[in-house]
Amino acid sequence: MVLQSMKKALLPLMIYRSDARNLGRELRAYADEFERLYQQIDEMLPEGFIATAQDRGLKEYEELFGPEQSSLTAAERRERLLSRMNLGEGDFTPAGIRMALDSFGLEYVISEFPTLNRLNIVAQTDYTKAEQAFIKSEVAKIVPAHLEFQLVFNTLMWSELDALNKTFAALDSEDLDWDEIDSLE
């Protein structure tokens, strides 16, 4: 297809005559490379758009915000990316913060304390330390600067603390700060 198109376009120039074998081989080499280039473009083009990306494109977009999310389906990855990319400067409202939290797959409960300019976000699912670090860094980017916020990941419940069979004095003697207490598992 490319070879025929090239021959047709070059015919008026009379450079590549049909009886010039070596020049015909040169033209064939160019045509083969153009074919290969067109094939790569056909493979790459859908990956450039979130709506049609399957693998490589999704990975590249995800890495703009954090780690690749290859454990999710392509549809879930697209949905999260589209949510994230649709955040605008007016989205630093409670609804916008929720949309951002949803965009990286956090299951959470938000408690708002407007008079204190405080926001508490409690994760409702177990996350690895790497996932927690990613979520913490992303939440810090989306919560407005005038708000204090606390992000808590599945800490021990009171019943689980009680099951440790430690007295309050024993727990208190560990001299943990609130962040360390919040990270107990």
Side-chain angles (χ1 to χ4, degrees), residues 63-185:
E63 288 178 349
L64 290 173
F65 302 111
E68 176 184 5
Q69 302 292 313
S70 59
S71 62
L72 302 174
T73 67
E76 291 170 322
R77 294 167 75 184
R78 277 191 213 99
E79 182 181 330
R80 287 186 184 182
L81 284 167
L82 289 170
S83 293
R84 190 62 182 273
M85 305 263 305
N86 284 324
L87 289 175
E89 45 183 82
D91 284 327
F92 296 100
T93 62
I97 291 171
R98 282 182 176 81
M99 187 169 74
L101 294 173
D102 292 342
S103 77
F104 47 85
L106 182 64
E107 292 183 35
Y108 59 91
V109 172
I110 293 181
S111 300
E112 298 177 62
F113 303 94
T115 58
L116 301 172
N117 286 332
R118 182 154 183 84
L119 191 66
N120 288 349
I121 304 167
V122 180
Q124 299 294 298
T125 312
D126 289 327
Y127 296 95
T128 66
K129 291 295 181 191
E131 289 170 327
Q132 288 179 21
F134 167 71
I135 291 169
K136 284 178 186 176
S137 73
E138 294 303 300
V139 169
K141 292 176 190 175
I142 61 171
V143 173
H146 72 281
L147 291 178
E148 286 185 52
F149 74 94
Q150 178 183 23
L151 179 60
V152 180
F153 291 95
N154 275 358
T155 58
L156 294 175
M157 305 289 284
W158 284 111
S159 59
E160 294 169 317
L161 279 171
D162 290 341
L164 295 175
N165 292 323
K166 288 187 177 181
T167 64
F168 178 78
L171 288 170
D172 192 41
S173 70
E174 293 178 10
D175 199 28
L176 302 175
D177 64 28
W178 285 112
D179 287 334
E180 291 168 326
I181 292 169
D182 283 344
S183 65
L184 287 174
E185 295 178 352

